[in-house]
Amino acid sequence: FERERPLETQLPQVKVGSEEDITVEAATSTLRRALKFYSTIQAEDGFWPGDYAGPLFLIPGLVIGLSVMGNLDQVLSEEHQREIRRYLYNHQGYNGSQLWDASFAVQAICATKLVSEYGSMLKKTNEFIKISQVEEDSSSNLSSRYRDISKGGWPFSTRDHGWPVTDSTAEGFKAALVLSKMPFDIVGEAIAPQKLYDAVNLTLSLQVVNPAETFGDIIIDYS
């Protein structure tokens, strides 16, 4: 994206000596330089593409495991296999951590108090966050499939991913809430209040069972 939208003017880099105080002017200039660059690598859909494969890395293992055991056709119907092929084809190396990254980006941009200068970024991200929210449960009979509700949650990447994550939902909720309090002419239409209620309902429903706890302490070296 940076090649397609190169910076027209590059703001000068601010250098501060080790013994110098950081002034408001220096910090603001650096923020403007960072946001200007950040605007060039934003996708038209409103997110910032990343290299992390997110849920994509789980699917090949499932397919390979079932194939090795000879149970591929017994476990996955023809429709499921077709959908998996579509998903892999459309998202190879591209379906990373879009929602997760975009949520933090919104909060960071808003914290700079330079929103009026970079509102176009927020307007696109606002739309992306709204359309990425899961709008319905995975089944009309959740108990028979041993599933929790998913309506109202946000996934790690996109709604096509479909699996709501508690921390992604929390960050998506915060970003949507921040954007809902901003002027329409800067960020566009706010998320509907009912969508926020749905997010809160999902989060509260997972207080006892939190799927994200699976990843607790996984990057700690105990040696």
Side-chain angles (χ1 to χ4, degrees):
F1 295 103
E2 185 184 2
R3 295 193 191 97
E4 298 172 3
R5 297 193 298 269
L7 290 173
E8 297 178 1
T9 56
Q10 178 66 279
L11 296 175
Q13 184 178 8
V14 177
K15 296 184 178 181
V16 180
S18 58
E19 302 299 323
E20 294 182 67
D21 292 329
I22 300 176
T23 64
V24 173
E25 291 76 15
T28 302
S29 178
T30 301
L31 284 172
R32 283 197 173 97
R33 178 183 169 89
L35 290 174
K36 201 170 186 63
F37 168 74
Y38 209 46
S39 68
T40 67
I41 59 175
Q42 184 183 26
E44 288 300 322
D45 292 336
F47 64 91
W48 284 267
D51 293 329
Y52 179 66
L56 185 64
F57 74 89
L58 299 173
I59 294 180
L62 170 65
V63 173
I64 293 170
L66 291 174
S67 178
V68 169
M69 293 185 294
N71 294 327
L72 186 64
D73 293 331
Q74 287 79 8
V75 175
L76 297 176
S77 67
E78 183 179 344
E79 290 77 13
H80 281 99
Q81 293 184 36
R82 185 184 304 113
E83 177 64 14
I84 288 175
R85 288 195 297 270
R86 184 199 66 79
Y87 180 82
L88 291 173
Y89 178 81
N90 288 330
H91 298 291
Q92 49 186 328
Y94 197 66
N95 192 25
S97 51
Q98 292 100 312
L99 187 280
W100 181 252
D101 297 336
S103 298
F104 283 114
V106 164
Q107 297 173 61
I109 294 170
C110 292
T112 66
K113 298 182 180 180
L114 298 174
V115 170
S116 59
E117 299 180 37
Y118 300 94
S120 60
M121 275 198 295
L122 292 176
K123 182 173 288 189
K124 288 190 287 188
T125 309
N126 184 29
E127 289 304 311
F128 173 73
I129 289 174
K130 288 191 295 183
I131 67 172
S132 296
Q133 187 179 22
V134 180
E135 295 188 335
E136 57 185 16
D137 292 325
S138 59
S139 171
S140 59
N141 191 352
L142 296 173
S143 60
S144 68
R145 298 175 182 269
Y146 303 97
R147 293 289 301 275
D148 293 309
I149 64 172
S150 50
K151 179 181 179 180
W154 271 278
F156 188 61
S157 53
T158 64
R159 193 167 70 188
D160 200 27
H161 166 203
W163 294 83
V165 183
T166 48
D167 45 0
S168 296
T169 298
E171 298 304 336
F173 176 85
K174 285 195 292 184
L177 191 61
V178 168
L179 291 167
S180 71
K181 297 179 179 180
M182 299 182 67
F184 173 84
D185 59 330
I186 293 179
V187 300
E189 186 176 356
I191 189 171
Q194 184 59 50
K195 301 290 186 181
L196 295 176
Y197 298 149
D198 291 340
V200 172
N201 182 58
L202 174 91
T203 304
L204 293 177
S205 74
L206 295 175
Q207 277 187 307
V208 179
V209 181
N210 183 357
E213 290 179 355
T214 305
F215 302 103
D217 300 329
I218 62 172
I219 59 174
I220 297 177
D221 183 2
Y222 293 97
S223 61

